[in-house]
Each structure stands twice: as C-alpha cells, then as structure tokens.
Amino acid sequence: MCVVENQVFTKPPVDTLSTLYEDCNYGLGCYILSVEDGDVSLKLLGACESCPSSTTTMKMGIERVLKENFGDAVKEIRQVYDDVVKETTVEAVNRHLDILRPTIKNYGGSVEVFSIDGGECVVNYTGPESIGSGIKAAIKEKFPDITNILLTS
C-alpha cells in the first residue's frame, strides 16, 4: 500500500519489486528501507512503529498487499525499529503490552507477564484467542530473544 498526497493506492504505482524502494518511499505510514532478493525491510512511522499491533499491520496489511501485487517476488517483510531493545525483562515486556491493555479490558480480559527465563515468557492472559495470538506476535516482534510464549489463565 502506498500513500501519495493522502490518496491510498492498493496497487503500488510500480512495475517490479525492485523499483518499490525508489518509487514508494513517500514518508507516510511506512518507509521502505531496502528491497534485496525479495526481502523487504521497512519501518513503520509515528504511533504505528511502537504499537504492539504493528505485527498484524505488517502481516495482514502491508505484506498481503505487496504479495497480491508482486506475487512470489516478495519473500519476506521485515520491520526495522529505531530503538533496539537492550533488555528483555518482565517490566520491559509489560510496558510494551500497555498499549493493548485497554482493548483487552474492553473484551473482558487481562494480560500480565509473569516470568521470562531462557527464551520462554510466561504470560497470564484471559480474553479472546485472536487477541492472545496478537499478544504473542507483539512480544516476539519486539523481543526476538523470546522464542516461546506460554499463555496461562
């Protein structure tokens, strides 16, 4: 998806994936950093960058549209962050999940990280399964050293 002068184009105005880098960096919504061998690295801008739902935006929105338009030429979409997470602690992960808490509460649920040990993160979660999947994706995207997330209730 490209945004040019507040118009959304579901089909990027480019012919090949290799021209995507040059032609679709308009600085609104997302910024494409590189396109190499079908791997697209991009940075979400504004509030989207730090939102735990950014993984969903990347997979269900941007990646889907790029694959619809460029097919097998798109192998992987990778989000690049400005800030590098230096610590993976219970407190840091809970802070990252703060943006999701109001939505989870609206669905009658709650989320709290209990422990992180050896790449495993134990999260006490109640609520819809689809939001639980989003929680897992948000944690893994921001904290790549967490390889397994166990949701308990």
Side-chain angles (χ1 to χ4, degrees):
M1 174 170 48
C2 293
V3 180
V4 182
E5 296 177 4
N6 296 324
Q7 294 182 1
V8 176
F9 295 87
T10 55
K11 182 169 183 162
V14 296
D15 296 326
T16 65
L17 186 60
S18 63
T19 61
L20 186 66
Y21 175 74
E22 291 84 8
D23 293 350
C24 286
N25 279 328
Y26 302 113
L28 301 171
C30 71
Y31 187 79
I32 297 167
L33 301 172
S34 67
V35 178
E36 295 179 23
D37 298 323
D39 294 333
V40 180
S41 295
L42 58 86
K43 179 183 181 316
L44 294 178
L45 302 174
C48 293
E49 178 186 14
S50 60
C51 176
S53 297
S54 64
T55 301
T56 302
T57 299
M58 296 285 290
K59 293 292 179 189
M60 302 301 285
I62 297 168
E63 182 173 320
R64 180 184 55 79
V65 170
L66 288 175
K67 286 187 176 188
E68 284 174 4
N69 288 282
F70 298 105
D72 292 337
V74 176
K75 294 178 185 169
E76 184 178 354
I77 304 295
R78 185 174 70 87
Q79 184 176 353
V80 177
Y81 295 95
D82 275 342
D83 59 333
V84 177
V85 176
K86 296 181 180 175
E87 61 177 341
T88 302
T89 64
V90 169
E91 294 79 15
V93 177
N94 271 319
R95 276 192 310 273
H96 181 60
L97 294 177
D98 281 346
I99 197 164
L100 288 179
R101 285 192 172 87
T103 301
I104 294 167
K105 186 176 181 182
N106 286 340
Y107 284 96
S110 65
V111 63
E112 188 72 27
V113 177
F114 276 146
S115 66
I116 299 173
D117 185 31
E120 182 169 278
C121 181
V122 178
V123 179
N124 184 14
Y125 170 71
T126 57
E129 186 177 328
S130 59
I131 294 177
S133 296
I135 290 168
K136 286 181 176 183
I139 292 171
K140 285 184 177 182
E141 185 76 28
K142 187 74 172 185
F143 301 92
D145 52 329
I146 294 177
T147 56
N148 186 37
I149 300 167
L150 176 63
L151 296 181
T152 64
S153 55

